[in-house]
Amino acid sequence: MDRYAIILAAGKGSRMKSRREDISKVSFPILGRPLVKWIIEALKPLGAKRLIAIIGFGGATSKPIVEEDCEVVWQREQKGAGHAVMQVAPLLEGKEGQTIICCGDTPLITTDLYQGLFDAHEAGGNSLTIMTSVLEEPHGYGRIVRDAKGNVIQIREQKDCDEEAEKIREVNAGVYVFDNKELFEALHHITTNNAAGEYYLTDVIELFAKKGLKVGTFEVADIDETMGVNDRYQLSVAEANLKARINREHMLRGVTIEDSDSTFIGPDVVIGADTIIRPGCYIMGETVIGEGNIIGPNSYIENCVIGSENHILSSWLNDVVVGDDNQIGPYFHARCGTTIASHTSLGNFCEFKNVRVDSGAKAHHLSYIGDAIVGEDANIGCGVITANFDGVNKNITTIGKGAFIGCDSVLVAPVEIGKESLVAAGSVITENVPDGAAAFGRSRQTNKPGTAKRLLKKD
Ligand code: UD1
Ligand code: CA
């Protein structure tokens, strides 16, 4: 039986109370991954023949997020989830198969749960199976209304609940598997005759029941898995849950996380065993970290590849490749394709941008090095700056193997500092320094005997 999947992602998300008109709720990120992308990633392993995302409000931002994995269908006006699914009719109407409809705002639902819903659908021989939860506080959710025999006859939306329905604790999680043909047939008959004045997708349920089609439920015990993100409080609750889930997986694979609460690791990050993550770290994007590292406290690492046995203390690394056995930080900031070989020592308020650092190099204090090559075992003194930008172009500085750059020097690029050379402290270097040479690029000092007292007005 063919499977189809539809993700509802066109709604405005008014409860997010955003002032921006260009972003949809489903593009709000959790751990760097947009809400709707969590749903896409969980659905992918189910092998649906077509994966369709319906976008609308803020669609220009939603589109690039979904289009890599999904066919995109627009709902130009947001007249309810039922109306959203009607927009898919040209693609799916009349086809034999099962269609799963998911909300783009339930990021905690796992592949296993989606699979469980399909399994229940098939085992029950149902035409429609609804994912449900029984909640202590059902307010806000659509309620599952059953007849005296226990058959589902309706989903009643919160806004349409009377006192009786308000008490029902069994709620709609917003995920359904439908017989595809019957779904699109029923959508012809739903109306906007309800408290919200919208085409409710959930009205299809009553139509199925009235037609005598078998409607079943698949109950999920843990509401932490089915919760919808409608406001920013729920966004934070969902984030806390996903964070704990990801951290737990890393811990069970051999990573030490000292304080899970303050550790934020993105869903695509890979970390090797015996690495220790100290409190206060953000590790995001496509980062891959090897074994036996000590990271943090307080480091931000995004889109980096990090080898093994490094010590990365309180640093900010973005788009950086780090080899093995390096000592980085505290307060080291590296970015834009910087690569660091092995056995280097870099830190204490240094910023490196687009630099190749060869093994054994050192920069311990207060430097800006940009668009440069720092040779093997080179030593960069305190306060060294590469003047890489002349106001028009970025230029390269090359520092040779074993070179010693004295404190507070400015290397005005483009410039080459030779191997085993020395740059005297306080120099402004505008010309290449040959291998082995010592360069003095500063004015000579004069001492005036006895003058200090007069200048300090102590006479
Ligand atoms: C919905 C269900 C409710 C269920 C709850 C579970 C309906 C009518 N109600 O309520 O029974 O208990 O989810 O979390 O479905 N959307 C569109 N186009 C629209 C309107 C909405 O694509 O015109 C999308 C939204 O982007 C969202 C989804 O439909 O992903 C659900 O909409 P939302 O407003 O969040 O519905 P709830 O009030 O949470
Ligand atoms: Ca919702």
Side-chain angles (χ1 to χ4, degrees):
M1 176 89 65
D2 285 337
R3 281 179 179 176
Y4 304 104
I6 298 174
I7 304 172
L8 299 168
K12 177 171 182 192
S14 325
R15 287 165 278 181
M16 299 304 272
K17 304 264 166 73
S18 175
R19 292 166 57 204
R20 293 178 57 180
E21 291 289 314
D22 59 332
I23 54 167
S24 58
K25 175 173 72 176
V26 297
S27 59
F28 275 72
I30 291 185
L31 300 171
R33 177 190 272 180
L35 264 176
V36 64
K37 185 88 173 148
W38 288 91
I39 286 86
I40 294 172
E41 290 302 323
L43 284 174
K44 269 181 17 221
L46 297 174
K49 194 172 173 190
R50 300 178 84 157
L51 183 52
I52 299 162
I54 306 171
I55 60 169
F57 185 89
T61 9
S62 313
K63 191 164 175 270
I65 298 167
V66 301
E67 69 187 349
E68 194 183 314
D69 304 297
C70 304
E71 294 176 66
V72 174
V73 168
W74 283 84
Q75 182 198 20
R76 297 282 172 190
E77 267 181 285
Q78 284 70 60
K79 298 188 203 161
H83 178 256
V85 181
M86 289 175 199
Q87 313 310 307
V88 184
L91 299 184
L92 294 188
E93 186 160 26
K95 289 197 190 305
E96 296 279 353
Q98 299 168 341
T99 298
I100 185 166
I101 299 187
C102 314
C103 293
D105 66 353
T106 54
L108 292 151
I109 302 182
T110 57
T111 303
D112 284 354
L113 275 193
Y114 288 126
Q115 183 59 50
L117 181 66
F118 273 113
D119 292 345
H121 185 76
E122 279 159 26
N126 299 337
S127 294
L128 160 60
T129 310
I130 308 162
M131 191 182 285
T132 62
S133 283
V134 176
L135 304 185
E136 283 302 317
E137 289 174 29
H139 189 86
Y141 287 89
R143 311 296 207 285
I144 307 292
V145 182
R146 293 177 184 268
D147 66 12
K149 291 186 195 142
N151 297 316
V152 178
I153 52 169
Q154 195 190 38
I155 292 179
R156 185 85 58 87
E157 289 306 315
Q158 177 63 48
K159 282 185 182 162
D160 301 286
C161 278
D162 52 20
E163 226 174 285
E164 201 57 26
E166 182 79 39
K167 288 186 203 138
I168 301 173
R169 289 174 44 225
E170 186 184 11
V171 305
N172 169 26
V175 188
Y176 329 79
V177 172
F178 291 92
D179 175 283
N180 184 67
K181 271 187 166 171
E182 295 290 354
L183 166 65
F184 284 95
E185 158 55 23
L187 283 172
H188 287 295
H189 305 295
I190 61 172
T191 67
T192 55
N193 191 11
N194 53 56
E198 290 183 354
Y199 289 100
Y200 286 161
L201 176 60
T202 42
D203 281 355
V204 167
I205 283 80
E206 191 172 359
L207 295 170
F208 267 56
K210 281 189 176 151
K211 202 172 173 184
L213 297 170
K214 193 163 180 213
V215 180
T217 54
F218 170 65
E219 189 184 320
V220 177
D222 191 354
I223 173 63
D224 282 350
E225 293 186 295
T226 56
M227 70 168 287
V229 173
N230 299 306
D231 55 38
R232 297 196 200 220
Y233 172 68
Q234 289 170 330
L235 186 71
S236 81
V237 173
E239 180 177 70
N241 280 314
L242 287 165
K243 176 162 81 84
R245 203 186 273 179
I246 289 171
N247 289 355
R248 180 170 180 272
E249 278 169 23
H250 286 293
M251 291 188 261
L252 296 181
R253 279 201 219 103
V255 177
T256 296
I257 296 180
E258 290 183 345
D259 179 26
S260 185
D261 282 350
S262 70
T263 304
F264 295 76
I265 301 176
D268 300 318
V269 171
V270 177
I271 307 178
D274 296 318
T275 283
I276 299 171
I277 313 286
R278 299 242 146 103
C281 290
Y282 272 78
I283 305 175
M284 293 294 153
E286 308 281 313
T287 295
V288 177
I289 297 178
E291 299 179 349
N293 296 283
I294 300 175
I295 314 262
N298 304 320
S299 288
Y300 184 95
I301 297 176
E302 186 175 11
N303 295 330
C304 293
V305 177
I306 293 174
S308 59
E309 309 294 337
N310 298 289
H311 192 163
I312 300 179
L313 189 68
S314 305
S315 292
W316 185 292
L317 310 179
N318 194 342
D319 186 20
V320 176
V321 175
V322 181
D324 302 330
D325 283 304
N326 296 285
Q327 179 76 33
I328 292 178
Y331 311 114
F332 182 65
H333 178 195
R335 58 195 173 92
C336 290
T338 292
T339 61
I340 297 166
S342 62
H343 301 94
T344 69
S345 181
L346 308 166
N348 282 285
F349 306 102
C350 294
E351 178 183 356
F352 277 41
K353 183 223 118 184
N354 184 29
V355 183
R356 190 189 93 199
V357 187
D358 292 347
S359 56
K362 291 182 183 59
H364 275 153
H365 328 272
L366 305 164
S367 288
Y368 171 65
I369 307 294
D371 303 306
I373 295 169
V374 178
E376 214 176 304
D377 296 319
N379 191 327
I380 298 191
C382 178
V384 170
I385 285 170
T386 55
N388 60 323
F389 185 47
D390 58 15
V392 182
N393 296 308
K394 299 282 170 73
N395 298 300
I396 306 283
T397 302
T398 305
I399 298 171
K401 178 178 173 182
F404 180 96
I405 315 295
C407 292
D408 210 17
S409 296
V410 180
L411 311 178
V412 182
V415 71
E416 286 176 30
I417 313 296
K419 284 181 219 154
E420 312 294 341
S421 66
L422 178 148
V423 170
S427 294
V428 176
I429 299 295
T430 54
E431 284 165 31
N432 292 348
V433 178
D435 291 352
F440 295 81
R442 64 191 188 210
S443 54
R444 183 170 289 279
Q445 178 178 331
T446 52
N447 292 338
K448 302 193 172 176
T451 308
K453 247 185 176 176
R454 182 170 57 79
L455 291 175
L456 294 170
K457 301 192 175 25
K458 287 182 182 167
D459 277 341

